[in-house]
Every structure is written in structure tokens, then in C-alpha cells.
Amino acid sequence: MEIIGVYRRKCTGVKLAMDTYWNHNTAFHDELIADGKLRGGRVLDIGCGDGLLLQRLAPFVQQVIGIDPDNTAIEIAQTRLISISNVTLINDDFLASPIPKLEDRYATVICVATLHHMDLRSALLLMRQVLAPGGRLLIIGLADDKSLVDLVFSGLLLLPIRIMDRFHGGMRNPNVRITAPTESIREIRQVVQQILPGAKVRRRFYFRYSLSWDKPLEEE
């Protein structure tokens, strides 16, 4: 495992739980892993947190790279992934990342519950640039409820989601930064279609939306 830019310190009071766990974000891991397996190659996880998705992806792809600006999250990921050789952890802000050479770009770029922490337009533009031609961008995101339709949709999901939470034994939320989304799904779709024409954005369960976009083979 390669670690870039890690500030090492004792994780005082942080429980280093290496097992899998369930919450409204990990609920989408299986479909992300299945999609990533189709292409293999190099996979970038933006906002990798404690590295659970990287751990689960690693056996099925050539290399997994996780980037997160949070020092503690990267330290926990380091402990989780210490025995996995095809992992690179980067302790940095994705928007400050250099664009890799064409041959080093990513077959799959994944971003789970992280896009709303960044400037939407800037993040999508950079994701497009770091993705290899023919690669796929996969986002699980959060949107703000601004319209009556948004509020009704979320309201209808409230009881079913609570039932599923109980079915899974409750949620576990690792120590992560919490930021409320500011764009509605309508606003997100408008920006997405400008930057990623043809992308599919749809409402999902657990108060999430999904985005998928395939980069044209002829685009560098």
C-alpha cells in the first residue's frame, strides 16, 4: 500500500473498526463494486473516508486509489488497508489534484456522499478530466429538498427508510464531516447536463441520488 501526504498521529479516541458495516452510503457499495469490476483497471474513490469501499473493491481491479482531505479518516483507512498491496491513499483535497497523464487516468471514478462538500461545477469538470476515455463516473449524492416535489418524495420515503434501518440493525456513521447539501436535484441535473451530456441522474432510496456517465472513447 502506498500512502501519499499522510500526517501521522495517534488516533486518540477513534475506534478502528475494520469490519464492514451498514449505513445509507454503504447500502450502494455492492452496485458500485459490480460496476467497477466490469472495467477493472485503476479506480479512484473521491472522499474515501475510512477505506471500506477501497477494501471491498481491491480484489477485483488492478489498483484502487482513495483521496480524502481528512487526516483521521486517512489514518483509519491506512490501518484498514495495511495488508492490501494495490491501494494508494492520498491525504489531500480532490480539487487540488493534478490531472494525471492519459495513460494513468482512471477506468472508474467513484464519489459517494462527497460531491456536496465541493463546488459542484469544479468537481464535475475535474472528474471528467481524470476519467480515462471509455471510463465511467459513478456518483451517489445528496440533494437539498427545495421544491414541493422534493419534499413529497422525501416524505414518502421516511417510513420505509426507518423500517430498513431497523432491518439492518441500525446505521453506523464513522467519524466524518457532515455538510448539508445546498443544490436541489433539479439544479444538479442542470449543471450535470452542461458538463456531462447524456449522464443519467435519478432519485434513489435513502435520500440519495445516483449519477452515471460514460466518457466517450474519442475524448482525451
Side-chain angles (χ1 to χ4, degrees), residues 39-218:
R39 285 169 301 283
R42 303 177 76 239
V43 178
L44 175 66
D45 181 9
I46 301 168
C48 64
D50 69 0
L52 176 58
L53 182 56
L54 297 174
Q55 179 186 31
R56 298 188 62 198
L57 268 168
F60 306 110
V61 299
Q62 176 187 353
Q63 186 181 21
V64 286
I65 297 91
I67 183 168
D68 200 295
D70 187 85
N71 294 327
T72 300
I74 289 291
E75 289 170 352
I76 296 172
Q78 178 185 0
T79 302
R80 176 186 288 280
L81 303 166
I82 194 67
S83 63
I84 302 177
S85 61
N86 63 333
V87 176
T88 297
L89 294 173
I90 304 173
N91 188 197
D92 205 351
D93 179 356
F94 171 67
L95 292 180
S97 302
I99 299 171
K101 295 181 293 184
L102 185 60
E103 61 269 23
D104 292 330
R105 293 182 191 174
Y106 304 100
T108 306
V109 174
I110 296 174
C111 183
V112 179
T114 300
L115 183 56
H116 66 287
H117 290 269
M118 301 180 283
D119 177 74
L120 177 62
R121 185 176 295 274
S122 299
L124 291 176
L125 284 168
L126 185 55
M127 290 176 192
R128 178 173 185 151
Q129 290 176 298
V130 302
L131 192 64
R136 179 170 292 176
L137 172 62
L138 298 168
I139 295 173
I140 302 295
L142 287 77
D144 191 13
D145 290 335
K146 291 187 176 181
S147 70
L148 179 59
V149 173
D150 295 336
L151 292 169
V152 169
F153 191 85
S154 293
L156 290 173
L157 287 177
L158 187 59
L159 181 58
I161 288 174
R162 286 183 176 176
I163 292 171
M164 291 304 295
D165 289 348
R166 291 180 65 87
F167 175 79
H168 287 284
M171 292 195 302
R172 184 198 145 195
N173 289 308
N175 295 319
V176 294
R177 291 186 299 123
I178 303 297
T179 300
T182 58
E183 293 100 357
S184 68
I185 193 165
R186 179 182 178 183
E187 292 168 334
I188 292 166
R189 282 176 170 148
Q190 289 174 341
V191 176
V192 165
Q193 290 309 315
Q194 294 170 11
I195 298 172
L196 309 171
K200 299 176 183 177
V201 180
R202 60 191 181 101
R203 297 180 190 268
R204 302 294 299 273
F205 208 58
Y206 301 120
F207 309 118
R208 302 293 189 266
Y209 69 86
S210 64
L211 180 157
S212 64
W213 180 70
D214 295 325
K215 187 170 184 175
L217 282 169
E218 64 274 12

